[in-house]
Amino acid sequence: MGWGDLGVFGQPSKETPNLDAMAAEGMLLPDFYTANPLCSPSRAALLTGRLPVRNGFYTTNAHARNAYTPQEIVGGISKDEILLPQMLKRKGYVSKIVGKWHLGHRPQHLPLENGFDEWFGAPNCHFGPYNSSIRPNIPVYNNSEMVGRYYEEFQIDRKTGESNLTQIYLQEGLDFILRQTQAQKPFFLYWAPDATHAPVYASKRFLGKSQRGRYGDAVMELDYSIGQILSHLRTLGIENNTFVFLTSDNGAALTSGPNESGSNGPFLCGKETTYEGGMREPAIAWWPGHIKEGTVNFQLANVMDLFTTSLALAGVSPPDDRTLDGLDLTQVLLNHSQTLESRPIFYYRGNELMAVRLGQYKAHYWTWSNSWDELKQGINFCPGQEVPGLTTHDQKEHTLQPLIFHLGRDPGEKFPISVLTKEYRDVLRRISPVVELHKKTLLPGIPQLNMCDVAVMNWAPAGCKKLGKCLKVPKSAPWKCDWPH
Amino acid sequence: MGWGDLGVFGQPSKETPNLDAMAAEGMLLPDFYTANPLCSPSRAALLTGRLPVRNGFYTTNAHARNAYTPQEIVGGISKDEILLPQMLKRKGYVSKIVGKWHLGHRPQHLPLENGFDEWFGAPNCHFGPYNSSIRPNIPVYNNSEMVGRYYEEFQIDRKTGESNLTQIYLQEGLDFILRQTQAQKPFFLYWAPDATHAPVYASKRFLGKSQRGRYGDAVMELDYSIGQILSHLRTLGIENNTFVFLTSDNGAALTSGPNESGSNGPFLCGKETTYEGGMREPAIAWWPGHIKEGTVNFQLANVMDLFTTSLALAGVSPPDDRTLDGLDLTQVLLNHSQTLESRPIFYYRGNELMAVRLGQYKAHYWTWSNSWDELKQGINFCPGQEVPGLTTHDQKEHTLQPLIFHLGRDPGEKFPISVLTKEYRDVLRRISPVVELHKKTLLPGIPQLNMCDVAVMNWAPAGCKKLGKCLKVPKSAPWKCDWPH
């Protein structure tokens, strides 16, 4: 989902009454970022509080390439990482993930092996080719065993776009909340539905309801579902004791546009890029009685802060044997202080620090939208947009003279500040030491997303025998994954 | 001001608390349009309820050119037109315009000659060259006599951006409201400040306050001022008897970016163009006790509807001797019916119908951003944006096969619908008769914006003698105005 998909963030169709109400009852964070312009690394960062370049969710197969966890990936979340549910367990929290996991799909990488007590959902995206010949359909797990596959037991009608998946995920979430409340257990629910990802689907009651086509239908269903979750908390009387945060793992994928793509509002480009459209995310914090209603806070923040903040709220000390990238936002959320000290936002693409934001200024050290080859194939991460020198189709280095933008005056990154100005020199003088320190102290993790193998696909997941859904596993033939962008 | 300049319409800086509150207390209209992508014709349309091509606010000097009322213009609003204040007078309304008039600056064209009872403001924009050598500075009028000039008695500090103009205009508005309320007179206040137009200014207490630079400061001051006006109405106890509408005369002028330009949110290009960024406007209707609070209405509407709607609210029958383009929105605003029947929006540039919107579909019959010549000079109406075939730098005709976009799925006009689809054929079949009927029945008015003359400039406006501010009028030497875009 993109920043501009919510009414409260300027979507012209204004079809998110529940999320808009959530913002009115809570705090809006217009300057909130994900850790990476695509799914898996962002989710790994959320759960570890660490940049993908530290937690291993990146590739070194080529320079500055986006990598994630398709079925052929060999790697996944490293055992050396400590995940949020593992930390929360220290205070007796019960944790569940509902929906897409995306931190690896081999047995050792799955949620229940990494701190979660429950899981209902799928390890990968609901990609095709929709029959199990060349590649298996993605399994849906209930805890540690599969209960079916997408396009088989869990229908997604490719033609009509109809699927009950979000409703199923909603029920799983509501049920978990109810059970923990009844058991008087503290809980962490990571509700990670895979709508609005392409191929886009929605259930029958939402199909055709949006002004925005099928993508808008999916947004409406998410909006409805989150409304149901919040209202469930109120019904159970635990709304004053439950911290809820809404965000997304990357900007809207503009290359799926217009039918299967959302909106990044006024921001440049989208998913897969380190322009604002790729990493600035919708963000709402909600906690009646604690977070003041109707507030807007311009703290520069990101998904890794949610790791640190959640630990602080739960009274758990963060791990002290590793570098964490997340800050504790408690003071900001509870409005004791307006914002924390100036902190940078790092925009990585794979193994490269592409850009840095400090205050209102963003400096691009490397620029790349996507390759000429991909562009010729019709893959365009910046459709209808072209900022000379910035949305380049070759990887361009600007280390000695980064392109600098003022995101307040120019949120769309259209007007680079002239290198001849005092403003440019002043900003560069402030940003350079931040970048230098970051690079000097950075210990990259072992890259987990380098190797691929057809044998590791979801041919025969745990539980497949019971269902008679095991497929023949082909012979192992590993290769270095090809990450084209 | 652009659609995206308001927090409620997605401005990331969220610096318009008063306008956002106005929307929360009233009705937001996300599908509201001006009549033309620039100032004078839009304002003429607002006050006449008629398209510029009917009321004469266009040029035939060249094809599809934007024209307005700079100092050298000979023409102005025609005596054949009937203006809103003239109609309202039939029910005893007292009318005042505060701020920029822009319907011509020769004596016969000024507000008090055209239905207004009072005026405080200027006939033209506050353009330079800031001394009265080549061209005079623009006079500021109090009713029918000048009281000074911009950059002289009415200071605008070009360097610091400081000017008290908006505060002066605010006081003029508040004072007028107070006087009419005390006199128990029905009134029409056309509060038309010329902030945020470039050169951008704000008064001291707002300078430097915005995250968005000087333009944002000006927006904050307008926001504050409108908050003051609404609160004044409440203090006087007339809020339930006063209909207030906020809108803008064109999209943000992106070519002034980033320091003196606003945001058109997710929409394409800006001022001077017939893409959405040029003509989709922020719009809020406010009338406590009558317009339901917190509503959003997707009625396709425009500034010409304000003419017709105002007459309906005042109980005045609209003129029946001419074609009006405005609809009566009373039923929509008072929420008796959700939207009126499907009505088209016409996007004109000068004498050419460039595009038409019907429902969610917009068909471009002519495309043009600006000329190659201007582009080479650094004038760019679509900075950082380029939609192949749409943002053309030559005037391109597409009459036989218009480019069609679905503005719900694709508000940014990035993805033309393929001409090979059934959707395209269906839409064209519905739009074509609308266009045909419009063209067949259209009687263009006599173009008022063709002739220029250095002698008609504001050398010696009424009242100049008293002030010793008369300048020598040069010899008349009329020429056909050059409208480059």
Side-chain angles (χ1 to χ4, degrees):
Chain A
M1 201 149 82
W3 195 93
D5 280 327
L6 277 61
V8 70
F9 283 118
Q11 170 52 233
S13 68
K14 297 263 174 197
E15 293 172 335
T16 54
N18 292 288
L19 293 175
D20 297 355
M22 184 183 176
E25 294 162 17
M27 179 183 280
L28 199 69
L29 294 114
D31 291 83
F32 191 90
Y33 290 86
T34 184
N36 209 258
L38 80 167
C39 43
S40 298
S42 286
R43 288 159 188 244
L46 167 72
L47 292 175
T48 61
R50 286 149 58 78
L51 280 166
V53 72
R54 292 194 218 271
N55 67 34
F57 260 64
Y58 72 107
T59 183
T60 50
N61 286 358
H63 178 251
R65 300 298 171 112
N66 291 322
Y68 69 110
T69 55
Q71 287 206 69
E72 58 270 31
I73 201 80
V74 173
I77 189 72
S78 161
K79 282 294 167 207
D80 294 336
E81 292 299 315
I82 303 179
L83 271 67
L84 183 55
Q86 292 167 333
M87 297 297 295
L88 291 172
K89 197 160 281 174
R90 297 183 185 176
K91 288 278 180 177
Y93 275 72
V94 182
S95 297
K96 176 165 193 156
I97 162 172
V98 174
K100 189 163 78 172
W101 169 240
H102 239 202
L103 302 197
H105 56 280
R106 296 176 68 201
Q108 67 272 32
H109 297 139
L110 293 178
L112 268 59
E113 299 297 314
N114 288 281
F116 281 95
D117 301 294
E118 301 186 12
W119 177 31
F120 191 95
N124 317 78
C125 271
H126 56 288
F127 287 148
Y130 320 115
N131 64 51
S132 291
S133 60
I134 312 170
R135 43 177 60 217
N137 279 328
I138 302 298
V140 174
Y141 280 77
N142 186 13
N143 297 323
S144 52
E145 293 195 350
M146 76 176 274
V147 286
R149 291 184 190 270
Y150 284 152
Y151 305 99
E152 298 173 21
E153 290 72 19
F154 294 87
Q155 276 302 319
I156 304 168
D157 188 318
R158 285 282 288 133
K159 209 170 157 185
T160 64
E162 186 179 339
S163 174
N164 290 326
L165 272 170
T166 302
Q167 291 307 311
I168 294 171
Y169 289 151
L170 172 59
Q171 288 312 317
E172 284 290 327
L174 297 177
D175 171 69
F176 174 74
I177 293 170
L178 178 64
R179 282 189 284 113
Q180 304 321 311
T181 309
Q182 284 170 343
Q184 303 204 345
K185 282 284 211 174
F187 66 86
F188 165 44
L189 169 62
Y190 176 30
W191 196 69
D194 63 0
T196 57
H197 201 294
V200 176
Y201 59 74
S203 56
K204 200 164 187 173
R205 65 181 282 200
F206 295 97
L207 275 181
K209 291 295 188 297
S210 164
Q211 295 181 36
R212 307 174 62 199
R214 196 174 290 177
Y215 182 91
D217 299 340
V219 171
M220 288 175 94
E221 185 162 19
L222 288 182
D223 176 75
Y224 164 84
S225 302
I226 293 158
Q228 291 294 105
I229 290 172
L230 299 184
S231 126
H232 194 54
L233 298 176
R234 287 194 195 276
T235 305
L236 296 173
I238 58 168
E239 77 276 19
N240 297 134
N241 198 24
T242 309
F243 172 62
V244 185
F245 200 94
L246 171 111
T247 190
S248 174
D249 59 353
N250 47 243
L254 301 186
T255 194
S256 311
N259 295 326
E260 306 223 307
S261 167
S263 165
N264 298 317
F267 300 120
L268 186 64
C269 303
K271 181 174 176 177
E272 310 281 0
T273 76
T274 50
Y275 312 115
E276 289 299 287
M279 291 181 59
R280 183 95 74 113
E281 303 302 329
I284 306 171
W286 186 93
W287 190 10
H290 298 266
I291 294 171
K292 207 176 153 211
E293 60 179 23
T295 46
V296 178
N297 192 295
F298 297 100
Q299 173 69 43
L300 297 199
N302 61 38
V303 289
M304 297 169 287
D305 300 340
L306 297 179
F307 177 91
T308 320
T309 305
S310 298
L311 293 185
L313 292 176
V316 181
S317 301
D320 58 3
D321 62 343
R322 61 199 64 212
T323 303
L324 291 178
D325 294 285
L327 295 182
D328 173 7
L329 297 181
T330 315
Q331 296 304 306
V332 173
L333 294 170
L334 304 182
N335 229 17
H336 297 144
S337 72
Q338 179 58 12
T339 54
L340 299 175
E341 88 278 26
S342 174
R343 70 90 67 93
I345 296 291
F346 297 109
Y347 304 69
Y348 270 89
R349 185 156 172 165
N351 57 353
E352 187 58 80
L353 179 66
M354 305 287 285
V356 176
R357 175 174 179 181
L358 195 65
Q360 291 285 11
Y361 292 99
K362 180 173 175 183
H364 293 267
Y365 291 88
W366 281 86
T367 56
W368 197 34
S369 55
N370 60 349
S371 69
W372 287 110
D373 268 5
E374 286 204 307
L375 192 68
K376 276 173 213 151
Q377 290 163 44
I379 298 169
N380 189 350
F381 298 152
C382 310
Q385 299 180 314
E386 199 182 307
V387 181
L390 182 62
T391 55
T392 58
H393 291 288
D394 295 309
Q395 294 190 352
K396 293 268 185 203
E397 185 169 8
H398 308 270
T399 306
L400 294 177
Q401 200 170 72
L403 283 83
I404 300 182
F405 294 83
H406 186 285
L407 295 179
R409 299 195 298 262
D410 178 23
E413 295 167 285
K414 301 287 197 295
F415 305 97
I417 297 172
S418 164
V419 297
L420 303 174
T421 58
K422 183 173 175 304
E423 184 179 21
Y424 183 94
R425 292 191 302 274
D426 288 348
V427 174
L428 192 60
R429 202 173 299 131
R430 290 199 295 116
I431 291 189
S432 295
V434 173
V435 173
E436 222 168 280
L437 181 70
H438 174 74
K439 290 198 158 179
K440 224 169 90 179
T441 56
L442 179 78
L443 266 175
I446 298 166
Q448 304 293 326
L449 307 180
N450 281 351
M451 294 308 298
C452 285
D453 188 342
V454 72
V456 303
M457 289 188 178
N458 296 290
W459 303 106
C464 69
K465 266 189 202 153
K466 254 188 262 177
L467 299 172
K469 306 272 311 176
C470 303
L471 299 167
K472 191 169 172 282
V473 184
K475 231 182 85 186
S476 172
W479 76 91
K480 276 176 81 171
C481 316
D482 176 42
W483 300 115
H485 42 252
Chain B
M1 202 148 82
W3 195 93
D5 279 327
L6 277 60
V8 71
F9 283 118
Q11 169 52 232
S13 69
K14 297 262 174 200
E15 293 173 335
T16 53
N18 292 287
L19 293 175
D20 297 355
M22 183 183 176
E25 295 162 15
M27 178 182 281
L28 199 69
L29 294 113
D31 291 83
F32 191 90
Y33 290 86
T34 184
N36 210 258
L38 79 167
C39 44
S40 299
S42 285
R43 288 159 188 244
L46 166 71
L47 292 175
T48 61
R50 286 151 56 80
L51 280 166
V53 72
R54 292 192 217 273
N55 68 33
F57 260 64
Y58 72 108
T59 182
T60 51
N61 285 359
H63 178 251
R65 299 298 172 114
N66 292 323
Y68 69 110
T69 54
Q71 288 205 70
E72 58 269 32
I73 200 82
V74 173
I77 189 71
S78 161
K79 282 292 169 208
D80 294 337
E81 293 298 315
I82 303 178
L83 273 65
L84 183 54
Q86 291 166 335
M87 296 298 294
L88 291 172
K89 197 160 282 173
R90 298 186 186 175
K91 288 278 180 176
Y93 276 73
V94 181
S95 297
K96 176 164 193 155
I97 163 172
V98 173
K100 189 163 79 173
W101 168 240
H102 239 202
L103 302 196
H105 57 278
R106 297 176 68 201
Q108 68 272 32
H109 297 139
L110 293 178
L112 269 57
E113 298 298 314
N114 288 279
F116 282 95
D117 301 292
E118 300 186 13
W119 177 30
F120 191 94
N124 316 77
C125 272
H126 56 289
F127 287 149
Y130 320 116
N131 66 51
S132 291
S133 61
I134 312 171
R135 43 177 60 215
N137 279 328
I138 301 298
V140 174
Y141 280 78
N142 186 12
N143 297 323
S144 52
E145 294 195 348
M146 76 177 275
V147 287
R149 292 185 191 268
Y150 284 152
Y151 304 98
E152 298 174 20
E153 289 73 19
F154 294 87
Q155 275 302 319
I156 304 170
D157 187 318
R158 285 281 290 134
K159 207 170 159 185
T160 65
E162 187 179 339
S163 175
N164 290 326
L165 271 170
T166 301
Q167 291 305 312
I168 294 171
Y169 289 151
L170 171 59
Q171 289 311 318
E172 284 290 328
L174 297 177
D175 170 69
F176 174 73
I177 293 170
L178 178 64
R179 282 189 283 113
Q180 303 323 311
T181 308
Q182 285 170 342
Q184 303 204 345
K185 281 284 211 175
F187 66 85
F188 165 45
L189 169 63
Y190 176 30
W191 196 69
D194 65 359
T196 58
H197 201 294
V200 176
Y201 59 76
S203 57
K204 199 163 188 175
R205 65 181 282 201
F206 295 98
L207 275 181
K209 291 296 188 298
S210 164
Q211 295 180 38
R212 306 175 63 199
R214 196 174 289 178
Y215 182 91
D217 299 340
V219 171
M220 288 176 93
E221 184 161 20
L222 287 181
D223 176 74
Y224 164 83
S225 302
I226 293 158
Q228 291 294 105
I229 290 173
L230 299 184
S231 126
H232 194 55
L233 297 176
R234 287 194 195 277
T235 305
L236 295 173
I238 58 168
E239 77 275 21
N240 298 133
N241 198 23
T242 310
F243 171 63
V244 184
F245 200 94
L246 170 111
T247 191
S248 174
D249 58 353
N250 48 241
L254 301 187
T255 197
S256 311
N259 296 326
E260 306 223 306
S261 165
S263 166
N264 298 316
F267 299 121
L268 186 65
C269 304
K271 181 173 176 177
E272 308 281 0
T273 77
T274 50
Y275 312 114
E276 290 298 286
M279 292 180 60
R280 183 98 72 114
E281 301 303 329
I284 305 171
W286 185 93
W287 190 10
H290 298 267
I291 295 172
K292 207 176 153 211
E293 59 178 25
T295 46
V296 178
N297 193 296
F298 298 99
Q299 173 70 41
L300 296 199
N302 62 37
V303 290
M304 296 169 287
D305 299 340
L306 297 179
F307 177 91
T308 320
T309 304
S310 299
L311 292 185
L313 292 176
V316 181
S317 301
D320 59 1
D321 62 343
R322 63 198 63 212
T323 303
L324 290 178
D325 294 285
L327 295 181
D328 174 8
L329 297 181
T330 314
Q331 296 302 308
V332 172
L333 295 170
L334 304 183
N335 228 16
H336 296 145
S337 71
Q338 180 58 13
T339 54
L340 297 175
E341 88 278 21
S342 175
R343 70 90 69 92
I345 296 291
F346 297 109
Y347 303 70
Y348 269 89
R349 186 158 172 162
N351 58 354
E352 186 58 80
L353 179 66
M354 305 287 285
V356 176
R357 175 175 179 181
L358 194 64
Q360 290 286 11
Y361 292 99
K362 180 173 176 183
H364 292 268
Y365 291 89
W366 281 87
T367 57
W368 197 32
S369 53
N370 59 348
S371 70
W372 288 111
D373 268 4
E374 286 204 308
L375 191 68
K376 275 173 213 150
Q377 291 162 43
I379 297 168
N380 189 350
F381 298 152
C382 310
Q385 299 180 314
E386 197 182 307
V387 181
L390 182 62
T391 54
T392 58
H393 291 288
D394 294 310
Q395 293 191 353
K396 293 267 185 203
E397 184 169 9
H398 309 269
T399 306
L400 294 176
Q401 199 171 71
L403 283 82
I404 300 181
F405 295 83
H406 185 285
L407 295 179
R409 298 195 298 263
D410 178 24
E413 296 168 284
K414 300 284 196 296
F415 305 98
I417 298 171
S418 164
V419 296
L420 302 173
T421 58
K422 182 174 176 301
E423 184 179 20
Y424 183 94
R425 292 192 300 273
D426 287 350
V427 174
L428 193 59
R429 201 172 302 131
R430 290 200 294 116
I431 291 188
S432 295
V434 173
V435 174
E436 222 168 281
L437 181 70
H438 174 73
K439 290 198 159 180
K440 223 169 88 181
T441 56
L442 178 78
L443 267 176
I446 297 166
Q448 303 294 326
L449 307 180
N450 282 352
M451 293 309 297
C452 286
D453 188 342
V454 72
V456 304
M457 290 190 180
N458 296 291
W459 304 106
C464 70
K465 265 191 203 150
K466 252 186 265 178
L467 300 172
K469 307 272 313 174
C470 302
L471 299 167
K472 190 169 174 280
V473 183
K475 228 182 88 189
S476 172
W479 76 92
K480 275 176 82 172
C481 316
D482 176 40
W483 301 114
H485 41 252

